[in-house]
Amino acid sequence: MNVKIITDSAADLPKEIIEQYKIDVIPLRVYSEDEKEYFDGETLDSKTLFNEMRNGKVFKTSLPSYEHIYNTFIKYAKENTTCIYIAFSSELSGTYQSTTMVKNEIGEEYPNVDLEIFDTKSASIGQGLIAVNAAKLALSGATKDEIIHSIENSIQTIEHIFTVDDLQYLVRGGRLSKVAGLVGNLLNIKPNLHVEEGKLVPLEKVRGSKKVVKRMLEIMESRGTNLSNQIIGISHGDDLNKAIEIRNAMTEAFGCKEFVINSIGSAIGAHAGPGTLAIFFMNENK
């Protein structure tokens, strides 16, 4: 590899994909109500988190620790390794800003540090797909400039379409008013949301789980291009059966062949809650 690809745990990549493409992952932090600190994917898995949330516990999240960022960056600076860091959206976390500050600090000690940091304006496997596509190129021997060009294109074309099973978790996170959450749950309203310029933006409201999944596929069909020849991402809030169901529907409808499927991690899951379903794909015409 000419270039090392680094990302953070908000990318929600499966461990086998991380190992296959030799991606370094810096964990975000998650805090329980008693202020106990966890590292996303290392000391707290999402299944445990979701079970606790179903029992009424509330979690907060924070950007990666200074030590995790510094230790990762300084290791490669000492080795003179060219690195690209693919960061969680700056509109949803301070991770991009924090990693940029650490890079500048390391640059004072190692002026020739070769590290590029990208604000993906993405989250979950949307961010993860950008990292995977970059890592594939790195493993194939692509140059730094070729990989950067691919990343810039991916940031412009990645699509996120997702829904949540229970609106109370968006209420807890301040994304939805208490009244709207109560009424929505009573009426079985399932919102479809997407990511626009790095922000979570409501797209439409649909009544019933079956209808909302159908609408997600319709949106994918209208926005997606060349779907059968790209990697499709699917993340879920502890509901693998629902993820497999929508994967099969994509295969039948669009001929999709390659997927990255994983549970949402603890950092994203603390805000989205169990039962969340999200799909990610590239739109060449965005």
Side-chain angles (χ1 to χ4, degrees):
M1 289 177 68
N2 298 321
V3 180
K4 183 69 178 179
I5 303 300
I6 309 169
T7 191
D8 50 68
S9 64
D12 289 344
L13 289 172
K15 289 183 179 179
E16 60 269 20
I17 294 290
I18 292 167
E19 293 171 0
Q20 178 182 355
Y21 294 109
K22 304 184 187 307
I23 301 169
D24 266 15
V25 179
I26 299 175
L28 274 74
R29 290 173 290 175
V30 181
Y31 293 90
S32 59
E33 291 172 294
D34 60 0
E35 297 300 321
K36 184 174 180 180
E37 182 181 70
Y38 299 93
F39 296 107
D40 181 19
E42 294 187 0
T43 58
L44 179 65
D45 64 88
S46 57
K47 193 169 188 66
T48 300
L49 174 106
F50 290 136
N51 286 336
E52 296 283 354
M53 291 178 74
R54 290 186 183 105
N55 291 327
K57 292 193 176 180
V58 178
F59 291 84
K60 298 183 295 184
T61 60
S62 183
L63 61 160
S65 69
Y66 172 86
E67 290 77 13
H68 270 106
I69 299 170
Y70 181 85
N71 290 340
T72 300
F73 287 178
I74 199 71
K75 170 188 172 183
Y76 293 115
K78 289 178 178 179
E79 295 174 357
N80 294 315
T81 300
T82 297
C83 298
I84 297 177
Y85 182 85
I86 294 171
F88 188 17
S89 172
S90 63
E91 295 288 347
L92 301 172
S93 168
T95 301
Y96 170 75
Q97 292 88 343
S98 183
T99 52
T100 300
M101 288 174 59
V102 175
K103 172 195 170 180
N104 293 337
E105 179 183 331
I106 289 173
E108 294 178 5
E109 186 178 358
Y110 294 88
N112 295 323
V113 60
D114 191 359
L115 169 63
E116 300 287 340
I117 300 178
F118 284 91
D119 176 5
T120 63
K121 301 179 181 178
S122 300
S124 193
I125 297 181
Q127 173 188 341
L129 289 181
I130 296 172
V132 168
N133 288 333
K136 274 188 168 185
L137 286 172
L139 285 171
S140 72
T143 66
K144 175 184 173 182
D145 287 344
E146 288 171 333
I147 297 170
I148 286 174
H149 177 74
S150 172
I151 292 169
E152 289 173 340
N153 183 65
S154 294
I155 290 171
Q156 292 298 318
T157 59
I158 189 69
E159 293 277 4
H160 309 57
I161 309 295
F162 68 100
T163 188
V164 295
D165 189 55
D166 193 328
L167 296 172
Q168 68 166 308
Y169 302 112
L170 291 179
V171 172
R172 289 178 185 174
R175 303 280 179 187
L176 194 67
S177 73
K178 290 183 179 180
V179 173
L182 176 61
V183 172
N185 280 339
L186 288 173
L187 297 177
N188 198 24
I189 295 295
K190 307 297 181 185
N192 266 332
L193 304 97
H194 68 159
V195 172
E196 193 173 275
E197 291 299 314
K199 300 177 182 178
L200 303 183
V201 179
L203 201 54
E204 59 186 15
K205 297 175 183 176
V206 183
R207 184 175 292 183
S209 298
K210 290 185 178 179
K211 287 182 180 179
V212 78
V213 171
K214 180 182 177 183
R215 278 296 298 144
M216 290 172 76
L217 292 173
E218 289 171 352
I219 295 167
M220 182 179 183
E221 183 175 22
S222 68
R223 293 189 179 188
T225 51
N226 199 23
L227 291 170
S228 63
N229 293 314
Q230 59 172 283
I231 306 173
I232 306 297
I234 304 173
S235 61
H236 61 92
D238 196 25
D239 193 345
L240 180 59
N241 289 336
K242 188 185 290 183
I244 296 299
E245 180 184 338
I246 201 167
R247 180 203 65 183
N248 294 342
M250 290 175 182
T251 300
E252 182 177 347
F254 313 127
C256 303
K257 299 179 286 292
E258 191 173 1
F259 296 87
V260 173
I261 302 175
N262 199 26
S263 175
I264 296 166
S266 299
I268 301 291
H271 299 284
T276 299
L277 180 67
I279 60 176
F280 311 89
F281 55 93
M282 298 293 178
N283 171 9
E284 294 173 3
N285 299 318
K286 188 172 180 182

